[in-house]
Amino acid sequence: MEPIQEPAVETIQRPNSPVNGRPESLSPAASYAELARENAQLRHERDLLQTVIDSLPDPIFAKDIAELTRAKKTSSAELQRRTIELSRDRLLLRTLIDNLPDCIYAKDTAGRKILANPADLKNLRCKTEAEAIGKTDFDLFPREMAEKFWADDQKVIGGEPVIDREEFLPGEGGHKVWLLTSKLPLRDQSGQLAGLIGIGRNITKQKEAEARLAYEQRLFRQLLEALPENIYFKDRESRFVRVSHSKAESTLQTVRERYQAAHPEVAPDAWPAHLTSVKLFADWLIGKTDFDTFSETHARMAHEDEQEIIRSGKSITGKLQKVEYPGRTAAWWLSTKMPWRDAEGNIIGTFGTSLNVTQLKQVEEELNRERILLRTLIDRLPDAIYVKDAAGRFILNNVVHARRRGLNSPEEMKGKTDFDFFPKAVAEQFAADEQKIIQTGEPVINQEQCVPAGEHSSEMRWTAVSKVIWRDDAGDILGTIGITHDIHEFKVAQEALRASEAKLRESATRLERSNRELQDFAYVASHDLQEPLRKIVVFGDRLREKAASRLDPETLDYLERMQKAASRMQNLINDLLTFSRVTTKAQPFVPVHLSKLAGEVIEDLEGRIEMTSGRVEPGALPVIDGEPVQLRQLLQNLIGNALKFRRPDVPPVVKIEARTWSGIPPRVEAKAGPQELCELTVSDNGIGFDEKYLDRIFNVFQRLHTRNEYEGTGMGLAIARKIVLYHGGEITAKSVPGQGAAFIVTLPVKQPKTPNNESKL
């Protein structure tokens, strides 16, 4: 009988099906499955052998049995050794699978899980492998996702592996868990498809980093497009690598101007393509240098700066440059350049920003001019001007303030306080005033102070001080601003004026009393003189009637002269009475129809008009408030004078006209506001007068002609003026000798109930 041969132990075969042109390597899960199947086969053969041995009863085969027993023991020992090795390898493989950070799993051809390591269980939200074994993706994921995974698995089983594909799983809190997945077919030892093996590497942090990087890149691009600054990156040879929209736009303008200056015959629509738009120019600019776009001087200066930055690694910050442009105003640019480094810190070029600050520069220059102007104004003002901080220290002073404190320059006062220039009590009062201003915000305006002229001076001087709070643009309190006006001479003059006013009031009182007495005297005297004059006239007339035939011619001449003198005296007394009655016998103001009043006056003067062959032409005259008797006297005097002062052989023509308008009444302050006024004009074609006598003709007893030329007492215009002043108006005249005269009276249309006081006349 042939001895029983030791069963052969099969070794694990590694299939060599190509994957993407490469031999397929046995996956960890496939090795584990092969080991399990081999171990089971060995146990089956051992049990079968033992059964065969136990079924042989013939003792004549003892030797064979002994050999068989020895063979069995040898086979069992080998089997035990192989089993131990397989168990060790299996444990090592499982430990490796379970401790890998990648997700490792295996599925059978029906999509059921047959292996899952802890990393995969975490994504499946399973606590143990037992929870996942036997389940499909439909049990573990949303249906839509499971259907996608099932379709992928079928392709893999069909021979289309998945290599390094990005996909995501639903994670905790709605966050995505990103995996870099590879799936390969799983075959048994006979090469038959048993399912698939999958490996997924968690790339969530990488995807988040990529998302952040993409966001930062978008933000960077948006900043380059939107920022007003010119931003650019250059390599070590000062060639442009990246530029902002603003940089491309501003440089394009310069390049266009240079091209147009060099090629004036070329129309804009025929210019090179890169000059037609900012986008095309930005693309063209990459790889170029400043020598391609700017003047030689400007480009060389920029190149030297950039090479120095690359050499030293030091930045150039806030460099202000004036750039000249052909055909337009120069511009001011504020530039900053710094090294551009890679991730290892190596300088690979320069990074720069520049901002057009031409407007700011212009504003700065304007502010500087205004500052100089303000400083000049402050130093030229006669007042002391100063600024203090919240602690009372001087930080700005003008020349006047410094000189008043006995110093040569305002700079000498900086940092000092009033305690350095005034007695302690005065300085303490100043400090208290300023602290009150700071605390309450209420200014001090024109506060009169009598203070020593200096710290050790006994001279006291009057000043008017104004102080206001000083705030910055944010409204925070910085200190106080003060102006001190020297009013010492004014105060001395004011005291003298007060004394003079007292004397003037006393004199005015005496004058008023004297005027009243004079008026009373004039009225009484005029009234008392009427009777004697009347008797002289009456008895003179009787004497002429009864004794004229008996008197010689000389006596008659004396009598006639006496009667004429008496008549003139009587007229003068009547005029004086009229003049005094303007204020003493005046009646309340009432509406007066000037047209009617003028008509009555013309009727009274009818005889004189006929005698001179003249005429009076009244125009449309308004109704105004006034004293009727006085206004009648006013018209009678003006019209009478116009008829009296006529040219020989020229019939007099007198015109009376009026107009009304809104304005400020004469001798009334402007703040009272405008009111309706009447301008009454009485003009003639008479002899006229020289206007140099204008002020004289309205005075009492003033005449421009002799009594022999023109009769009168010299009181007519004085009475007219007093009437006009009593009515709150004014009177003036215009004239040219030999061409007539025009007397112009301005009166308020409406009068107050109480007439003007005599003292105002």
Side-chain angles (χ1 to χ4, degrees):
M1 183 176 182
E2 293 290 330
I4 298 176
Q5 298 294 324
E6 180 179 31
V9 179
E10 295 182 353
T11 59
I12 298 176
Q13 301 297 319
R14 300 181 181 272
N16 292 316
S17 60
V19 178
N20 294 335
R22 302 191 306 268
E24 180 184 353
S25 60
L26 190 61
S27 67
S31 299
Y32 174 77
E34 291 296 331
L35 289 172
R37 282 193 293 273
E38 185 175 353
N39 190 27
Q41 180 68 22
L42 290 173
R43 285 198 303 271
H44 172 70
E45 291 176 354
R46 182 193 63 192
D47 294 341
L48 180 60
L49 179 60
Q50 184 64 46
T51 303
V52 171
I53 293 173
D54 292 341
S55 65
L56 294 175
D58 191 352
I60 63 172
F61 297 107
K63 181 179 178 181
D64 294 331
I65 291 172
E67 290 178 358
L68 287 174
T69 300
R70 284 194 301 272
K72 175 182 176 184
K73 289 180 179 180
T74 301
S75 178
S76 296
E78 181 64 21
L79 179 62
Q80 185 176 6
R81 183 183 65 78
R82 293 285 303 276
T83 301
I84 292 172
E85 289 179 356
L86 287 173
S87 297
R88 186 183 64 234
D89 291 344
R90 184 174 65 252
L91 178 62
L92 179 61
L93 180 60
R94 184 68 198 203
T95 301
L96 177 63
I97 291 174
D98 289 345
N99 286 280
L100 284 174
D102 297 336
C103 303
I104 299 176
Y105 55 89
K107 300 179 184 177
D108 61 17
T109 55
R112 293 184 293 265
K113 289 276 187 179
I114 60 175
L115 182 144
N117 73 339
D120 187 49
L121 294 175
K122 182 178 180 181
N123 290 336
L124 300 177
R125 301 184 189 180
C126 295
K127 295 181 180 180
T128 64
E129 188 176 16
E131 294 181 46
I133 297 301
K135 292 183 178 179
T136 68
D137 289 332
F138 290 93
D139 301 315
L140 301 169
F141 298 107
R143 182 172 186 80
E144 183 178 354
M145 186 173 290
E147 288 177 348
K148 179 179 179 300
F149 291 162
W150 170 257
D152 288 345
D153 293 348
Q154 294 307 304
K155 290 181 180 180
V156 172
I157 292 173
E160 298 180 18
V162 173
I163 304 297
D164 292 340
R165 185 178 67 189
E166 293 182 358
E167 60 185 17
F168 66 87
L169 302 176
E172 296 180 357
H175 298 289
K176 294 180 180 179
V177 177
W178 283 93
L179 299 174
L180 185 65
T181 300
S182 294
K183 296 180 181 180
L184 301 171
L186 175 62
R187 301 177 184 276
D188 59 17
Q189 65 183 37
S190 62
Q192 298 298 316
L193 280 171
L196 62 84
I197 182 76
I199 301 176
R201 174 161 294 171
N202 191 319
I203 58 170
T204 303
K205 291 184 178 180
Q206 176 184 334
K207 293 293 288 185
E208 291 174 350
E210 290 175 354
R212 286 194 300 270
L213 178 60
Y215 168 77
E216 291 173 358
Q217 289 176 339
R218 288 195 304 273
L219 180 61
F220 178 69
R221 287 194 297 270
Q222 291 173 358
L223 288 175
L224 288 182
E225 290 295 315
L227 285 176
E229 290 89 347
N230 289 357
I231 302 173
Y232 51 89
F233 295 85
K234 296 182 179 180
D235 60 19
R236 294 180 64 89
E237 282 71 40
S238 293
R239 294 185 296 252
F240 289 104
V241 176
R242 189 74 178 267
V243 297
S244 67
H245 178 85
S246 178
K247 169 63 177 175
E249 188 175 38
S250 63
T251 308
L252 173 59
Q253 182 181 1
T254 303
V255 174
R256 281 175 173 172
E257 291 170 351
R258 294 184 64 190
Y259 184 86
Q260 187 174 26
H263 305 86
E265 73 284 355
V266 180
D269 56 0
W271 285 357
H274 67 275
L275 299 182
T276 60
S277 72
V278 176
K279 176 65 172 62
L280 292 176
F281 182 79
D283 295 338
W284 174 87
L285 192 58
I286 303 305
K288 303 295 190 298
T289 70
D290 287 329
F291 290 95
D292 298 307
T293 58
F294 291 102
S295 65
E296 174 78 15
T297 302
H298 176 79
R300 187 167 302 282
M301 185 183 303
H303 183 267
E304 290 174 356
D305 286 346
E306 289 154 6
Q307 293 306 306
E308 177 61 23
I309 291 172
I310 293 173
R311 185 192 65 79
S312 65
K314 296 180 179 179
S315 302
I316 297 176
T317 305
K319 183 176 182 180
L320 187 62
Q321 293 176 293
K322 185 177 183 180
V323 180
E324 301 286 347
Y325 299 101
R328 61 184 172 107
T329 307
W332 287 91
W333 292 88
L334 185 65
S335 301
T336 294
K337 297 180 181 180
M338 59 192 68
W340 178 23
R341 301 178 185 271
D342 60 15
E344 287 73 32
N346 300 315
I347 296 177
I348 59 175
T350 56
F351 159 72
T353 64
S354 58
L355 179 65
N356 190 326
V357 294
T358 304
Q359 290 185 343
L360 292 177
K361 187 67 177 177
Q362 292 172 348
V363 171
E364 179 184 355
E365 292 175 351
E366 180 65 24
L367 288 174
N368 190 47
R369 286 193 294 268
E370 291 181 359
R371 189 181 299 111
I372 294 173
L373 177 63
L374 179 61
R375 186 74 226 192
T376 302
L377 177 63
I378 288 175
D379 286 339
R380 295 297 182 273
L381 285 175
D383 296 333
I385 301 175
Y386 46 90
V387 179
K388 298 179 182 180
D389 62 18
R393 293 183 293 263
F394 291 107
I395 62 174
L396 183 145
N397 304 272
N398 68 345
V399 175
V400 173
H401 192 216
R403 288 176 179 172
R404 287 184 185 176
R405 303 282 73 82
L407 302 175
N408 297 322
S409 170
E411 297 298 321
E412 298 180 54
M413 296 191 68
K414 279 190 176 181
K416 296 184 179 181
T417 69
D418 288 324
F419 290 91
D420 297 308
F421 303 104
F422 293 98
K424 183 179 179 182
V426 176
E428 287 177 345
Q429 182 60 50
F430 289 168
D433 290 345
E434 290 156 6
Q435 290 304 311
K436 183 178 179 181
I437 293 172
I438 291 174
Q439 293 170 5
T440 64
E442 296 180 1
V444 171
I445 305 297
N446 289 332
Q447 183 185 73
E448 294 185 357
Q449 299 174 342
C450 188
V451 298
E455 183 179 8
H456 304 293
S457 175
S458 59
E459 180 188 1
M460 302 295 289
R461 294 193 67 84
W462 281 97
T463 60
V465 178
S466 295
K467 295 181 181 180
V468 297
I469 200 165
W470 175 34
R471 300 178 185 272
D472 61 15
D473 294 338
D476 297 328
I477 297 173
L478 300 178
T480 56
I481 302 174
I483 301 177
T484 300
H485 180 58
D486 191 313
I487 60 170
H488 189 72
E489 285 74 17
F490 170 76
K491 292 292 288 185
V492 172
Q494 190 179 50
E495 291 299 324
L497 180 61
R498 287 197 184 98
S500 299
E501 287 178 346
K503 293 180 180 179
L504 183 61
R505 283 193 296 271
E506 183 179 354
S507 298
T509 301
R510 289 198 302 268
L511 180 61
E512 185 177 358
R513 185 168 59 249
S514 176
N515 285 338
R516 285 198 302 269
E517 292 173 353
L518 182 61
Q519 287 180 353
D520 292 343
F521 170 77
Y523 179 77
V524 172
S526 300
H527 189 273
D528 291 345
L529 287 174
Q530 290 282 5
E531 186 60 27
L533 281 175
R534 195 177 297 113
K535 288 183 178 181
I536 292 174
V537 172
V538 170
F539 286 120
D541 291 340
R542 289 180 180 178
L543 180 62
R544 177 183 290 276
E545 291 175 1
K546 294 182 178 182
S549 59
R550 296 193 298 272
L551 298 177
D552 57 69
E554 184 178 1
T555 302
L556 287 174
D557 180 58
Y558 291 156
L559 178 60
E560 183 178 357
R561 290 185 181 183
M562 180 190 69
Q563 286 181 314
K564 287 182 178 179
S567 178
R568 288 196 301 272
M569 184 65 179
Q570 194 169 32
N571 290 336
L572 180 59
I573 291 173
N574 288 334
D575 287 343
L576 285 172
L577 282 173
T578 301
F579 187 78
S580 65
R581 285 171 179 168
V582 170
T583 56
T584 59
K585 299 296 183 179
Q587 300 299 314
F589 292 152
V590 296
V592 177
H593 294 262
L594 291 181
S595 294
K596 180 180 179 181
L597 208 62
E600 293 174 356
V601 171
I602 293 171
E603 287 183 4
D604 291 345
L605 297 174
E606 186 176 359
R608 187 182 298 183
I609 295 172
E610 291 179 356
M611 183 179 65
T612 58
S613 300
R615 68 179 187 271
V616 179
E617 301 175 353
L621 306 181
V623 177
I624 66 172
D625 289 348
E627 212 273 18
V629 176
Q630 290 187 7
L631 293 180
R632 181 188 179 97
Q633 184 72 50
L634 171 66
L635 288 174
Q636 183 167 329
N637 287 4
L638 294 177
I639 298 172
N641 275 359
L643 294 172
K644 179 170 62 175
F645 294 102
R646 65 185 183 277
R647 287 179 289 170
D649 302 326
V650 177
V653 177
V654 182
K655 294 183 179 181
I656 308 171
E657 300 170 314
R659 71 182 182 95
T660 58
W661 84 100
S662 180
I664 304 299
R667 299 185 295 118
V668 174
E669 295 182 3
K671 64 182 181 180
Q675 66 182 72
E676 191 176 9
L677 302 176
C678 170
E679 184 180 88
L680 181 66
T681 303
V682 179
S683 59
D684 60 58
N685 62 344
I687 61 173
F689 63 90
D690 193 332
E691 288 188 2
K692 69 180 181 180
Y693 300 114
L694 183 61
D695 293 337
R696 177 179 169 185
I697 62 177
F698 293 105
N699 292 334
V700 179
F701 303 130
Q702 293 296 319
R703 301 172 58 92
L704 300 182
H705 307 278
T706 64
R707 188 178 296 110
N708 294 331
E709 294 177 300
Y710 295 98
E711 62 180 5
T713 62
M715 290 289 294
L717 290 180
I719 293 172
R721 177 177 180 274
K722 192 168 185 180
I723 291 172
V724 171
L725 294 180
Y726 182 74
H727 282 73
E730 64 180 3
I731 184 170
T732 187
K734 295 180 180 179
S735 179
V736 176
Q739 298 183 19
F743 286 84
I744 304 166
V745 177
T746 302
L747 298 171
V749 173
K750 297 295 181 181
Q751 294 283 0
K753 293 182 179 180
T754 304
N756 285 313
N757 192 290
E758 182 183 358
S759 62
K760 297 180 181 178
L761 301 181

